[in-house]
Amino acid sequence: MTYLTLPIKERIENNPYVGRGIIIGKSEDGKKAVFAYFIMGRSENSRNRVFVEDGENVTIYPYDPSKVEDPSLIIYSPIKVVGSQVIVTNGDQTDTIEEFINNGKCFKKALKTRAFEPDAPNFTPRISGILNLENGYSYEMSILKSADEKGTACNRYFFEYDALDGIGHFIHTYVTDGNPLPTFMGEPERVKIPNDMDEFASEIWNNLDKNNKIALHVRYIDLESKDVESITYNVHEVE
């Protein structure tokens, strides 16, 4: 069996719209847990957003509050740290997962209470990930997708990984641009994770479509010391 692991550049370049994306993996030297989250947008409402770091958490805020049309699907906390776990999602299911973990329950049980976004006709999938940094490093990912073009039912897919040196998994909401937008298909895609955070962040940012990219957060966590490095890119500058 051949396992195709590509640089992230080759997964996203020349693709006008992969939507929102999560990458989770491990640095090539095996020393760092790594994740990245980015958002893209086509409408003025979607593009009016910035990532703001609040300690270890990240929240999305409107860049210009006066232009917000519908805050329900664009303002949320995509990244939250709960004990030794890091939650990364593309919606308010972050809060659901956090609540379940705090009540002694798990990632999978939390997402079984949620479904895809109610934004017909796209029915945007909810993509989620969690890094488990205690007793070795492993991670889980999930996608909640509409079962048909009418949003009749929700299909829930879960993936569990033991972290391997230099390998990450990439899941995103859409295949590419379209109307309606074509939903991501199959398993999360394997990507290469370099040792250098700035190199990895630049590779992602510089290869996302320049007209549709909005924001990116990349974080490297030292598995021994638990020291954290992070970098955030916003199309709109944050004061």
Side-chain angles (χ1 to χ4, degrees), residues 141-142 159 161 168-171 184-190:
M141 303 183 88
S142 172
F159 308 90
Y161 300 99
H169 290 87
F170 173 38
I171 194 166
F184 178 89
M185 301 291 288
E187 295 184 19
E189 300 161 348
R190 287 167 62 104

Side-chain angles (χ1 to χ4, degrees), residues 50-52 63 234 236-239:
V50 291
F51 283 1
V52 177
Y63 176 66
N234 283 299
H236 302 293
E237 292 186 7
V238 182
E239 294 183 359

Side-chain angles (χ1 to χ4, degrees), residues 24-37:
I24 304 177
K26 194 177 187 183
S27 61
E28 192 173 9
D29 60 12
K31 295 181 179 180
K32 306 286 180 65
V34 176
F35 73 86
Y37 179 63

Side-chain angles (χ1 to χ4, degrees), residues 81-86 131-134 226:
V81 176
V82 183
S84 62
Q85 296 177 295
V86 185
L131 292 77
N132 304 304
L133 300 172
E134 199 168 85
K226 299 301 186 289

Side-chain angles (χ1 to χ4, degrees), residues 86-150:
V86 185
I87 305 163
V88 189
T89 91
N90 74 328
D92 65 8
Q93 70 267 29
T94 308
D95 299 336
T96 305
I97 298 166
E98 177 188 33
E99 179 185 350
F100 270 63
I101 290 173
N102 284 333
N103 287 323
K105 299 177 183 178
C106 69
F107 176 76
K108 186 178 290 187
K109 286 185 177 180
L111 290 170
K112 284 186 175 181
T113 70
R114 301 302 304 267
F116 50 85
E117 295 180 3
D119 60 338
N122 296 314
F123 298 116
T124 297
R126 290 191 188 272
I127 56 173
S128 307
I130 189 165
L131 292 77
N132 304 304
L133 300 172
E134 199 168 85
N135 301 319
Y137 169 38
S138 64
Y139 55 95
E140 301 166 64
M141 303 183 88
S142 172
I143 183 167
L144 313 181
K145 297 167 39 170
S146 177
D148 60 18
E149 69 279 4
K150 298 179 182 178

